[in-house]
Amino acid sequence: MENIYIIDRLTSKIISCNLPEGKTQPKYGSKVLYKDEENKNYVGTVLGHPRECQKKYTFVGVLTDQQLEQFNKNQEKAKTLFPIFKEKFKKEFPESVPVTARMNLYATEIYFYFYAETRFNFAEFVKWLRQDIAMNFFLYQVGARDRIRLDPNADGMMCASGHGYGLDCKMFHYPLPNIDTESLIVQQLEGRDIEKMKGLCGKLKCSLVYEEDRYRDESKKYPSRWNIYSYLKERVKCIGINIVTQEIKLRNDETGEIFKISLEERTSNRQ
């Protein structure tokens, strides 16, 4: 039985469902309905590839046009309630950044998203907010990248990357990847100005993982940095590689000479 991988619309948690016999595989990005062991329904977005997840739920089907229309209306209603939450939350927790609000399919639950570097005690605030929000609500703390991705005011903004596209994080339909210094090392970017490689969220740009796998595979064809070997009967040291131009930067420690050769030259003249 085929599995479907879905990201929950409200919590961004990834779950999997078995595709029942006779059901057509939903398209990537489709809004679908699934239910848990208590038969409670949830809306999620179909992912294009398998993802790691711990729980498995029951697939119901792709949202009908009527359900999708109702779902979209609920999101508009959530937007009208967000300013109430924002004003109260900002007053109670000045260092926070209220982001947006989303509502479930049946308009019985609403999620308010906020960004903050610290944790808060919500006990008194929840009592205060219930006076104005007459429905079940949840407060959901998000990270720096999700803050930008979820913010409707960030639509159409650029990530200062100069590639002509909008925010990279807006393109992801699943939890955003972790970008660390290893990603920079693999792509020979260490030593560059880190600040120029950060997005609006203040973290390293999501686009830095787009070609990381390719760099890992291609780098296997090249000598390791600082590796010493013989080239044209001379002992040389690899001090850098350029996978894009397929070049290897070498240095002869005895003479101090630094020069570049192509990957093809290195292969044909390896001794």
Side-chain angles (χ1 to χ4, degrees), residues 58-88:
T58 303
F59 177 75
V60 177
V62 177
L63 292 188
T64 65
D65 291 343
Q66 183 177 359
Q67 287 174 326
L68 186 58
E69 181 181 3
Q70 183 60 51
F71 179 79
N72 291 332
K73 285 182 179 179
N74 291 345
Q75 306 322 306
E76 293 301 317
K77 181 179 179 180
K79 290 179 182 179
T80 65
L81 294 175
F82 176 67
I84 299 174
F85 161 77
K86 181 178 180 180
E87 180 181 0
K88 288 181 176 291

PDB file of all heavy atoms in Angstrom, residues 58-88:
ATOM      1  N   THR A  58      -5.043   8.379   8.914  1.00  0.00           N
ATOM      2  CA  THR A  58      -5.921   7.849   7.868  1.00  0.00           C
ATOM      3  C   THR A  58      -6.226   8.919   6.834  1.00  0.00           C
ATOM      4  O   THR A  58      -6.709  10.005   7.173  1.00  0.00           O
ATOM      5  CB  THR A  58      -7.251   7.339   8.485  1.00  0.00           C
ATOM      6  OG1 THR A  58      -6.964   6.350   9.466  1.00  0.00           O
ATOM      7  CG2 THR A  58      -8.141   6.753   7.404  1.00  0.00           C
ATOM      8  N   PHE A  59      -5.941   8.621   5.590  1.00  0.00           N
ATOM      9  CA  PHE A  59      -6.203   9.554   4.496  1.00  0.00           C
ATOM     10  C   PHE A  59      -7.690   9.542   4.158  1.00  0.00           C
ATOM     11  O   PHE A  59      -8.300   8.482   4.006  1.00  0.00           O
ATOM     12  CB  PHE A  59      -5.386   9.146   3.267  1.00  0.00           C
ATOM     13  CG  PHE A  59      -5.640   9.989   2.054  1.00  0.00           C
ATOM     14  CD1 PHE A  59      -5.123  11.274   1.958  1.00  0.00           C
ATOM     15  CD2 PHE A  59      -6.387   9.500   0.996  1.00  0.00           C
ATOM     16  CE1 PHE A  59      -5.344  12.048   0.828  1.00  0.00           C
ATOM     17  CE2 PHE A  59      -6.621  10.261  -0.133  1.00  0.00           C
ATOM     18  CZ  PHE A  59      -6.091  11.539  -0.214  1.00  0.00           C
ATOM     19  N   VAL A  60      -8.296  10.723   4.046  1.00  0.00           N
ATOM     20  CA  VAL A  60      -9.720  10.838   3.711  1.00  0.00           C
ATOM     21  C   VAL A  60      -9.883  11.186   2.237  1.00  0.00           C
ATOM     22  O   VAL A  60     -10.620  10.516   1.515  1.00  0.00           O
ATOM     23  CB  VAL A  60     -10.409  11.909   4.591  1.00  0.00           C
ATOM     24  CG1 VAL A  60     -11.877  12.061   4.184  1.00  0.00           C
ATOM     25  CG2 VAL A  60     -10.306  11.523   6.070  1.00  0.00           C
ATOM     26  N   GLY A  61      -9.215  12.219   1.784  1.00  0.00           N
ATOM     27  CA  GLY A  61      -9.310  12.598   0.379  1.00  0.00           C
ATOM     28  C   GLY A  61      -8.906  14.041   0.152  1.00  0.00           C
ATOM     29  O   GLY A  61      -8.674  14.804   1.098  1.00  0.00           O
ATOM     30  N   VAL A  62      -8.832  14.407  -1.104  1.00  0.00           N
ATOM     31  CA  VAL A  62      -8.522  15.790  -1.480  1.00  0.00           C
ATOM     32  C   VAL A  62      -9.734  16.659  -1.159  1.00  0.00           C
ATOM     33  O   VAL A  62     -10.885  16.233  -1.304  1.00  0.00           O
ATOM     34  CB  VAL A  62      -8.197  15.871  -2.987  1.00  0.00           C
ATOM     35  CG1 VAL A  62      -7.933  17.315  -3.413  1.00  0.00           C
ATOM     36  CG2 VAL A  62      -6.992  15.002  -3.315  1.00  0.00           C
ATOM     37  N   LEU A  63      -9.500  17.876  -0.682  1.00  0.00           N
ATOM     38  CA  LEU A  63     -10.609  18.771  -0.376  1.00  0.00           C
ATOM     39  C   LEU A  63     -11.451  19.022  -1.620  1.00  0.00           C
ATOM     40  O   LEU A  63     -10.926  19.269  -2.704  1.00  0.00           O
ATOM     41  CB  LEU A  63     -10.083  20.113   0.143  1.00  0.00           C
ATOM     42  CG  LEU A  63      -9.394  20.156   1.511  1.00  0.00           C
ATOM     43  CD1 LEU A  63      -9.137  21.609   1.910  1.00  0.00           C
ATOM     44  CD2 LEU A  63     -10.207  19.464   2.584  1.00  0.00           C
ATOM     45  N   THR A  64     -12.754  18.969  -1.454  1.00  0.00           N
ATOM     46  CA  THR A  64     -13.650  19.305  -2.557  1.00  0.00           C
ATOM     47  C   THR A  64     -13.599  20.817  -2.783  1.00  0.00           C
ATOM     48  O   THR A  64     -13.079  21.566  -1.961  1.00  0.00           O
ATOM     49  CB  THR A  64     -15.090  18.885  -2.237  1.00  0.00           C
ATOM     50  OG1 THR A  64     -15.561  19.665  -1.110  1.00  0.00           O
ATOM     51  CG2 THR A  64     -15.169  17.406  -1.894  1.00  0.00           C
ATOM     52  N   ASP A  65     -14.140  21.255  -3.884  1.00  0.00           N
ATOM     53  CA  ASP A  65     -14.169  22.697  -4.165  1.00  0.00           C
ATOM     54  C   ASP A  65     -14.904  23.451  -3.059  1.00  0.00           C
ATOM     55  O   ASP A  65     -14.497  24.543  -2.662  1.00  0.00           O
ATOM     56  CB  ASP A  65     -14.855  22.961  -5.510  1.00  0.00           C
ATOM     57  CG  ASP A  65     -14.027  22.477  -6.696  1.00  0.00           C
ATOM     58  OD1 ASP A  65     -12.814  22.253  -6.503  1.00  0.00           O
ATOM     59  OD2 ASP A  65     -14.581  22.317  -7.801  1.00  0.00           O
ATOM     60  N   GLN A  66     -15.991  22.852  -2.567  1.00  0.00           N
ATOM     61  CA  GLN A  66     -16.770  23.486  -1.505  1.00  0.00           C
ATOM     62  C   GLN A  66     -15.957  23.558  -0.208  1.00  0.00           C
ATOM     63  O   GLN A  66     -15.950  24.588   0.478  1.00  0.00           O
ATOM     64  CB  GLN A  66     -18.062  22.706  -1.262  1.00  0.00           C
ATOM     65  CG  GLN A  66     -18.977  23.353  -0.221  1.00  0.00           C
ATOM     66  CD  GLN A  66     -20.284  22.588  -0.050  1.00  0.00           C
ATOM     67  OE1 GLN A  66     -20.530  21.584  -0.712  1.00  0.00           O
ATOM     68  NE2 GLN A  66     -21.141  23.062   0.846  1.00  0.00           N
ATOM     69  N   GLN A  67     -15.267  22.462   0.127  1.00  0.00           N
ATOM     70  CA  GLN A  67     -14.443  22.451   1.336  1.00  0.00           C
ATOM     71  C   GLN A  67     -13.294  23.443   1.227  1.00  0.00           C
ATOM     72  O   GLN A  67     -12.969  24.140   2.187  1.00  0.00           O
ATOM     73  CB  GLN A  67     -13.901  21.043   1.577  1.00  0.00           C
ATOM     74  CG  GLN A  67     -14.934  20.055   2.069  1.00  0.00           C
ATOM     75  CD  GLN A  67     -14.373  18.645   2.152  1.00  0.00           C
ATOM     76  OE1 GLN A  67     -13.527  18.245   1.346  1.00  0.00           O
ATOM     77  NE2 GLN A  67     -14.847  17.884   3.124  1.00  0.00           N
ATOM     78  N   LEU A  68     -12.683  23.514   0.049  1.00  0.00           N
ATOM     79  CA  LEU A  68     -11.567  24.438  -0.149  1.00  0.00           C
ATOM     80  C   LEU A  68     -12.033  25.887  -0.036  1.00  0.00           C
ATOM     81  O   LEU A  68     -11.349  26.734   0.549  1.00  0.00           O
ATOM     82  CB  LEU A  68     -10.928  24.197  -1.520  1.00  0.00           C
ATOM     83  CG  LEU A  68      -9.645  24.986  -1.814  1.00  0.00           C
ATOM     84  CD1 LEU A  68      -8.585  24.687  -0.766  1.00  0.00           C
ATOM     85  CD2 LEU A  68      -9.129  24.658  -3.207  1.00  0.00           C
ATOM     86  N   GLU A  69     -13.226  26.164  -0.568  1.00  0.00           N
ATOM     87  CA  GLU A  69     -13.790  27.512  -0.469  1.00  0.00           C
ATOM     88  C   GLU A  69     -14.034  27.868   0.998  1.00  0.00           C
ATOM     89  O   GLU A  69     -13.721  28.986   1.439  1.00  0.00           O
ATOM     90  CB  GLU A  69     -15.096  27.593  -1.256  1.00  0.00           C
ATOM     91  CG  GLU A  69     -15.743  28.978  -1.216  1.00  0.00           C
ATOM     92  CD  GLU A  69     -17.049  29.035  -1.987  1.00  0.00           C
ATOM     93  OE1 GLU A  69     -17.483  27.984  -2.513  1.00  0.00           O
ATOM     94  OE2 GLU A  69     -17.653  30.128  -2.056  1.00  0.00           O
ATOM     95  N   GLN A  70     -14.596  26.918   1.771  1.00  0.00           N
ATOM     96  CA  GLN A  70     -14.844  27.153   3.182  1.00  0.00           C
ATOM     97  C   GLN A  70     -13.534  27.339   3.941  1.00  0.00           C
ATOM     98  O   GLN A  70     -13.413  28.201   4.818  1.00  0.00           O
ATOM     99  CB  GLN A  70     -15.618  25.975   3.780  1.00  0.00           C
ATOM    100  CG  GLN A  70     -15.993  26.148   5.249  1.00  0.00           C
ATOM    101  CD  GLN A  70     -16.870  27.365   5.486  1.00  0.00           C
ATOM    102  OE1 GLN A  70     -17.883  27.542   4.810  1.00  0.00           O
ATOM    103  NE2 GLN A  70     -16.498  28.209   6.433  1.00  0.00           N
ATOM    104  N   PHE A  71     -12.550  26.530   3.598  1.00  0.00           N
ATOM    105  CA  PHE A  71     -11.231  26.618   4.242  1.00  0.00           C
ATOM    106  C   PHE A  71     -10.620  27.998   4.019  1.00  0.00           C
ATOM    107  O   PHE A  71     -10.106  28.624   4.947  1.00  0.00           O
ATOM    108  CB  PHE A  71     -10.318  25.534   3.681  1.00  0.00           C
ATOM    109  CG  PHE A  71      -8.934  25.547   4.269  1.00  0.00           C
ATOM    110  CD1 PHE A  71      -8.687  25.003   5.515  1.00  0.00           C
ATOM    111  CD2 PHE A  71      -7.875  26.106   3.572  1.00  0.00           C
ATOM    112  CE1 PHE A  71      -7.409  25.014   6.064  1.00  0.00           C
ATOM    113  CE2 PHE A  71      -6.601  26.124   4.107  1.00  0.00           C
ATOM    114  CZ  PHE A  71      -6.363  25.574   5.350  1.00  0.00           C
ATOM    115  N   ASN A  72     -10.698  28.495   2.791  1.00  0.00           N
ATOM    116  CA  ASN A  72     -10.140  29.814   2.476  1.00  0.00           C
ATOM    117  C   ASN A  72     -10.896  30.933   3.187  1.00  0.00           C
ATOM    118  O   ASN A  72     -10.299  31.916   3.638  1.00  0.00           O
ATOM    119  CB  ASN A  72     -10.153  30.042   0.961  1.00  0.00           C
ATOM    120  CG  ASN A  72      -9.161  29.153   0.237  1.00  0.00           C
ATOM    121  OD1 ASN A  72      -8.139  28.749   0.802  1.00  0.00           O
ATOM    122  ND2 ASN A  72      -9.448  28.826  -1.016  1.00  0.00           N
ATOM    123  N   LYS A  73     -12.231  30.769   3.319  1.00  0.00           N
ATOM    124  CA  LYS A  73     -13.024  31.765   4.049  1.00  0.00           C
ATOM    125  C   LYS A  73     -12.607  31.806   5.519  1.00  0.00           C
ATOM    126  O   LYS A  73     -12.546  32.876   6.132  1.00  0.00           O
ATOM    127  CB  LYS A  73     -14.520  31.434   3.935  1.00  0.00           C
ATOM    128  CG  LYS A  73     -15.137  31.768   2.587  1.00  0.00           C
ATOM    129  CD  LYS A  73     -16.627  31.448   2.589  1.00  0.00           C
ATOM    130  CE  LYS A  73     -17.267  31.813   1.252  1.00  0.00           C
ATOM    131  NZ  LYS A  73     -18.716  31.472   1.243  1.00  0.00           N
ATOM    132  N   ASN A  74     -12.326  30.616   6.066  1.00  0.00           N
ATOM    133  CA  ASN A  74     -11.900  30.559   7.459  1.00  0.00           C
ATOM    134  C   ASN A  74     -10.570  31.286   7.674  1.00  0.00           C
ATOM    135  O   ASN A  74     -10.351  31.916   8.710  1.00  0.00           O
ATOM    136  CB  ASN A  74     -11.772  29.109   7.915  1.00  0.00           C
ATOM    137  CG  ASN A  74     -13.118  28.418   8.016  1.00  0.00           C
ATOM    138  OD1 ASN A  74     -14.159  29.063   8.016  1.00  0.00           O
ATOM    139  ND2 ASN A  74     -13.099  27.102   8.096  1.00  0.00           N
ATOM    140  N   GLN A  75      -9.688  31.211   6.678  1.00  0.00           N
ATOM    141  CA  GLN A  75      -8.400  31.888   6.810  1.00  0.00           C
ATOM    142  C   GLN A  75      -8.591  33.408   6.791  1.00  0.00           C
ATOM    143  O   GLN A  75      -7.873  34.149   7.472  1.00  0.00           O
ATOM    144  CB  GLN A  75      -7.440  31.449   5.705  1.00  0.00           C
ATOM    145  CG  GLN A  75      -7.240  29.940   5.589  1.00  0.00           C
ATOM    146  CD  GLN A  75      -7.205  29.213   6.933  1.00  0.00           C
ATOM    147  OE1 GLN A  75      -6.424  29.559   7.838  1.00  0.00           O
ATOM    148  NE2 GLN A  75      -8.063  28.217   7.079  1.00  0.00           N
ATOM    149  N   GLU A  76      -9.555  33.853   6.021  1.00  0.00           N
ATOM    150  CA  GLU A  76      -9.862  35.290   6.009  1.00  0.00           C
ATOM    151  C   GLU A  76     -10.431  35.725   7.360  1.00  0.00           C
ATOM    152  O   GLU A  76     -10.126  36.804   7.867  1.00  0.00           O
ATOM    153  CB  GLU A  76     -10.854  35.609   4.883  1.00  0.00           C
ATOM    154  CG  GLU A  76     -10.289  35.426   3.474  1.00  0.00           C
ATOM    155  CD  GLU A  76      -9.069  36.297   3.246  1.00  0.00           C
ATOM    156  OE1 GLU A  76      -9.089  37.486   3.656  1.00  0.00           O
ATOM    157  OE2 GLU A  76      -8.090  35.803   2.662  1.00  0.00           O
ATOM    158  N   LYS A  77     -11.263  34.855   7.951  1.00  0.00           N
ATOM    159  CA  LYS A  77     -11.819  35.157   9.271  1.00  0.00           C
ATOM    160  C   LYS A  77     -10.699  35.216  10.311  1.00  0.00           C
ATOM    161  O   LYS A  77     -10.693  36.074  11.205  1.00  0.00           O
ATOM    162  CB  LYS A  77     -12.846  34.099   9.661  1.00  0.00           C
ATOM    163  CG  LYS A  77     -13.496  34.361  11.014  1.00  0.00           C
ATOM    164  CD  LYS A  77     -14.533  33.281  11.344  1.00  0.00           C
ATOM    165  CE  LYS A  77     -15.150  33.544  12.720  1.00  0.00           C
ATOM    166  NZ  LYS A  77     -16.163  32.494  13.067  1.00  0.00           N
ATOM    167  N   ALA A  78      -9.721  34.309  10.176  1.00  0.00           N
ATOM    168  CA  ALA A  78      -8.585  34.294  11.109  1.00  0.00           C
ATOM    169  C   ALA A  78      -7.820  35.610  11.043  1.00  0.00           C
ATOM    170  O   ALA A  78      -7.353  36.127  12.062  1.00  0.00           O
ATOM    171  CB  ALA A  78      -7.665  33.121  10.788  1.00  0.00           C
ATOM    172  N   LYS A  79      -7.705  36.151   9.839  1.00  0.00           N
ATOM    173  CA  LYS A  79      -6.987  37.416   9.670  1.00  0.00           C
ATOM    174  C   LYS A  79      -7.686  38.569  10.388  1.00  0.00           C
ATOM    175  O   LYS A  79      -7.038  39.503  10.856  1.00  0.00           O
ATOM    176  CB  LYS A  79      -6.846  37.742   8.181  1.00  0.00           C
ATOM    177  CG  LYS A  79      -5.884  36.828   7.435  1.00  0.00           C
ATOM    178  CD  LYS A  79      -5.821  37.205   5.965  1.00  0.00           C
ATOM    179  CE  LYS A  79      -4.895  36.276   5.200  1.00  0.00           C
ATOM    180  NZ  LYS A  79      -4.847  36.629   3.753  1.00  0.00           N
ATOM    181  N   THR A  80      -9.029  38.499  10.477  1.00  0.00           N
ATOM    182  CA  THR A  80      -9.753  39.570  11.162  1.00  0.00           C
ATOM    183  C   THR A  80      -9.586  39.483  12.681  1.00  0.00           C
ATOM    184  O   THR A  80      -9.720  40.486  13.380  1.00  0.00           O
ATOM    185  CB  THR A  80     -11.261  39.516  10.821  1.00  0.00           C
ATOM    186  OG1 THR A  80     -11.828  38.298  11.331  1.00  0.00           O
ATOM    187  CG2 THR A  80     -11.480  39.575   9.316  1.00  0.00           C
ATOM    188  N   LEU A  81      -9.291  38.261  13.194  1.00  0.00           N
ATOM    189  CA  LEU A  81      -9.090  38.084  14.630  1.00  0.00           C
ATOM    190  C   LEU A  81      -7.639  38.334  15.039  1.00  0.00           C
ATOM    191  O   LEU A  81      -7.345  38.581  16.212  1.00  0.00           O
ATOM    192  CB  LEU A  81      -9.498  36.673  15.050  1.00  0.00           C
ATOM    193  CG  LEU A  81     -10.994  36.334  14.914  1.00  0.00           C
ATOM    194  CD1 LEU A  81     -11.237  34.864  15.235  1.00  0.00           C
ATOM    195  CD2 LEU A  81     -11.818  37.219  15.828  1.00  0.00           C
ATOM    196  N   PHE A  82      -6.740  38.259  14.069  1.00  0.00           N
ATOM    197  CA  PHE A  82      -5.317  38.417  14.382  1.00  0.00           C
ATOM    198  C   PHE A  82      -4.985  39.765  15.028  1.00  0.00           C
ATOM    199  O   PHE A  82      -4.200  39.803  15.986  1.00  0.00           O
ATOM    200  CB  PHE A  82      -4.486  38.202  13.115  1.00  0.00           C
ATOM    201  CG  PHE A  82      -3.014  38.430  13.326  1.00  0.00           C
ATOM    202  CD1 PHE A  82      -2.274  37.583  14.140  1.00  0.00           C
ATOM    203  CD2 PHE A  82      -2.380  39.510  12.723  1.00  0.00           C
ATOM    204  CE1 PHE A  82      -0.917  37.796  14.339  1.00  0.00           C
ATOM    205  CE2 PHE A  82      -1.028  39.728  12.920  1.00  0.00           C
ATOM    206  CZ  PHE A  82      -0.285  38.873  13.730  1.00  0.00           C
ATOM    207  N   PRO A  83      -5.531  40.914  14.542  1.00  0.00           N
ATOM    208  CA  PRO A  83      -5.197  42.198  15.177  1.00  0.00           C
ATOM    209  C   PRO A  83      -5.549  42.249  16.662  1.00  0.00           C
ATOM    210  O   PRO A  83      -4.851  42.907  17.441  1.00  0.00           O
ATOM    211  CB  PRO A  83      -6.031  43.204  14.374  1.00  0.00           C
ATOM    212  CG  PRO A  83      -6.200  42.564  13.033  1.00  0.00           C
ATOM    213  CD  PRO A  83      -6.350  41.106  13.332  1.00  0.00           C
ATOM    214  N   ILE A  84      -6.638  41.554  17.061  1.00  0.00           N
ATOM    215  CA  ILE A  84      -7.015  41.516  18.482  1.00  0.00           C
ATOM    216  C   ILE A  84      -5.918  40.818  19.281  1.00  0.00           C
ATOM    217  O   ILE A  84      -5.468  41.302  20.325  1.00  0.00           O
ATOM    218  CB  ILE A  84      -8.358  40.778  18.659  1.00  0.00           C
ATOM    219  CG1 ILE A  84      -9.470  41.501  17.892  1.00  0.00           C
ATOM    220  CG2 ILE A  84      -8.711  40.644  20.145  1.00  0.00           C
ATOM    221  CD1 ILE A  84     -10.787  40.756  17.889  1.00  0.00           C
ATOM    222  N   PHE A  85      -5.507  39.658  18.760  1.00  0.00           N
ATOM    223  CA  PHE A  85      -4.428  38.921  19.411  1.00  0.00           C
ATOM    224  C   PHE A  85      -3.140  39.732  19.430  1.00  0.00           C
ATOM    225  O   PHE A  85      -2.455  39.818  20.456  1.00  0.00           O
ATOM    226  CB  PHE A  85      -4.200  37.602  18.675  1.00  0.00           C
ATOM    227  CG  PHE A  85      -2.857  36.984  18.942  1.00  0.00           C
ATOM    228  CD1 PHE A  85      -2.608  36.317  20.132  1.00  0.00           C
ATOM    229  CD2 PHE A  85      -1.834  37.077  18.004  1.00  0.00           C
ATOM    230  CE1 PHE A  85      -1.366  35.754  20.387  1.00  0.00           C
ATOM    231  CE2 PHE A  85      -0.587  36.521  18.249  1.00  0.00           C
ATOM    232  CZ  PHE A  85      -0.355  35.863  19.443  1.00  0.00           C
ATOM    233  N   LYS A  86      -2.802  40.328  18.291  1.00  0.00           N
ATOM    234  CA  LYS A  86      -1.533  41.060  18.162  1.00  0.00           C
ATOM    235  C   LYS A  86      -1.420  42.184  19.191  1.00  0.00           C
ATOM    236  O   LYS A  86      -0.378  42.339  19.854  1.00  0.00           O
ATOM    237  CB  LYS A  86      -1.403  41.620  16.747  1.00  0.00           C
ATOM    238  CG  LYS A  86      -0.110  42.371  16.500  1.00  0.00           C
ATOM    239  CD  LYS A  86      -0.043  42.861  15.061  1.00  0.00           C
ATOM    240  CE  LYS A  86       1.256  43.608  14.799  1.00  0.00           C
ATOM    241  NZ  LYS A  86       1.337  44.092  13.387  1.00  0.00           N
ATOM    242  N   GLU A  87      -2.485  42.968  19.320  1.00  0.00           N
ATOM    243  CA  GLU A  87      -2.455  44.102  20.243  1.00  0.00           C
ATOM    244  C   GLU A  87      -2.262  43.633  21.691  1.00  0.00           C
ATOM    245  O   GLU A  87      -1.427  44.177  22.428  1.00  0.00           O
ATOM    246  CB  GLU A  87      -3.754  44.907  20.123  1.00  0.00           C
ATOM    247  CG  GLU A  87      -3.804  46.114  21.047  1.00  0.00           C
ATOM    248  CD  GLU A  87      -5.106  46.883  20.935  1.00  0.00           C
ATOM    249  OE1 GLU A  87      -5.974  46.478  20.125  1.00  0.00           O
ATOM    250  OE2 GLU A  87      -5.264  47.876  21.662  1.00  0.00           O
ATOM    251  N   LYS A  88      -3.018  42.611  22.083  1.00  0.00           N
ATOM    252  CA  LYS A  88      -2.926  42.124  23.456  1.00  0.00           C
ATOM    253  C   LYS A  88      -1.591  41.426  23.721  1.00  0.00           C
ATOM    254  O   LYS A  88      -0.977  41.596  24.778  1.00  0.00           O
ATOM    255  CB  LYS A  88      -4.087  41.156  23.733  1.00  0.00           C
ATOM    256  CG  LYS A  88      -5.449  41.824  23.850  1.00  0.00           C
ATOM    257  CD  LYS A  88      -6.525  40.800  24.157  1.00  0.00           C
ATOM    258  CE  LYS A  88      -7.869  41.475  24.384  1.00  0.00           C
ATOM    259  NZ  LYS A  88      -7.902  42.264  25.628  1.00  0.00           N
TER     260      LYS A  88
END
